[in-house]
Amino acid sequence: MKSLAVTNKCIGAILLVGSIAPAAAADNVELYGIIDSGVQYLGTRKHLSDKTTVRNTVSVKSGVYKGFRWGIKGSEGLGSGYSVNFVLESGFSSDDGKQAFSRLFGRQSTISLAGPFGELMLGRMGALASGAGPFALAGWFSPFGTSCGDYSVTANNYMFGFKRFDNTFAYKTPTFQNWQLFLQYSRDTDTLEDIDPVTEGVQHGEEGRSNTSHYYGVGTRFKDKTKEFSVMFERLSYARQVSGFRPTSATSVTLGGSYLLSGWQLFTGLQYFRNGTSKLMKSIDKVWGDKGYKDGESIVGGLNIPALNGSVLVAMGYSHYKPSRGAANGQTKGYRYGGSIGYLYPVSKRTTLYALLNYARDVQRYRTEHMNKDKSSTIESSIGIAHSF
C-alpha cells in the first residue's frame, strides 16, 4: 500500500497536479506491461549483382509476439460523463533491459479529456495507420497485428507510415450507429530528428516551423460485434534541411479491416502511398538500407482459425514500389511478397506460448544493359512465451 501511494504521488507530479489533495487523486491507477522472450532463427540469402551472401543466426529475442512494454495508466471521473485519462508507456528489451525509442515513455505519453463530445488527446502516440496506440486504425489488417517478427505479413512490414509522433493533437467523436471519426495533427513529429546530418550531434528545428516535420490525418471506423472496417487519409510534410532541401510531402490512403465468420476471423488491408520515405517502410528498409522516397501500393490479408485449443494464424502480403523522382541510382522498381504462419496457445488468460514462421522475398530492379536485379530471401522463425501483467 505504501508503494502504491508513492506511485500515485509520482503520477501526480508527472501530470502537474501534485498540489491536489490525495483524496482527489486518480480514481483508477494501473501498472501494466508485457514481457515476451523467445528464441529466433533468421536466415537470409542476398544476391547483389555478382555477389551472393548467406547469413544464418540464432538468438534470444524479445518482443516478437507482443511488443515489450511497461506502463502506468489512470483516470479520474469528473462527473456528468466527463473524465481525465492518462497513459505513460515505456518500451524495453527483456533480453538485455535496454530502453526503446530513446525516450522514457517512447511508446505512448498522453493525457486526454473524454466526455459526451468524444475524446481529445495530447502527447506522443501512434499515427492513424501505425497500428500503435488508442487512435491507430491499422492494427486489424492482419491476424498478426503489428508484431510477430520483422518479416511477418503485417501492415507495418508491408506498408508505409508505421510511426509514433510527438506533439500530437488527436480527437475522436462519439460512436454514432457504429461509426467514429478520427482526427490527428502534429506540428513537430520527431523531436529527435536531425536536420543537419553533416554536423556532429542532433540539430533540431522549431516546433511549428518548416524545419520540423508536420503530420495530419483523418480517418473513420465502423465497428460492431463481427466487423471492423476503417479508412484513413494521411499527409506527412518533411522538415526542411539546413542545406535548404525539403522533400515533397508524403500522402497515403489506407483501408481495411476484419470480419468474424463462424469463429474464423478474416483480415485484409490495402494502401496507396506517394513520396513515402523508406525510413518509414521499416522492414523493407532493413533489407536494402536505401534511403529514398517511394511511390507504391500494398495489400495484406489473412485468417485467424481456432484450432487445437489455440489459434492458427496465416497471412500473405505484397508490396510494390518505385522511386518517387526518376530512377535513383538506376532503380526502376522494387517489390516484396511473402507469407506468415503461426500458432498461439494460451496457457492462461495472461500467458501465451507461440510459434511463428515468416518468409519474405524482396526484389529491386535496376536499369542497366542487362536489367539487373538485386534479390533477397528471408526466413524468420521464432518460439517463445509472452506474459502480461
Side-chain angles (χ1 to χ4, degrees), residues 126-131 135-139 182-184 215 217-219 232-234:
L128 292 180
S130 70
F135 279 74
L137 301 176
F182 295 75
L183 303 172
Q184 278 188 321
Y215 162 86
V218 57
M232 63 217 77
F233 172 84
E234 297 173 291

Side-chain angles (χ1 to χ4, degrees), residues 21 34 120 133 170 180 182 201 211 268 286 313 336:
I34 296 174
L120 176 65
Q180 272 185 297
F182 295 75
N211 54 9
T268 190
K286 189 172 184 177
L313 316 179
R336 160 180 286 187

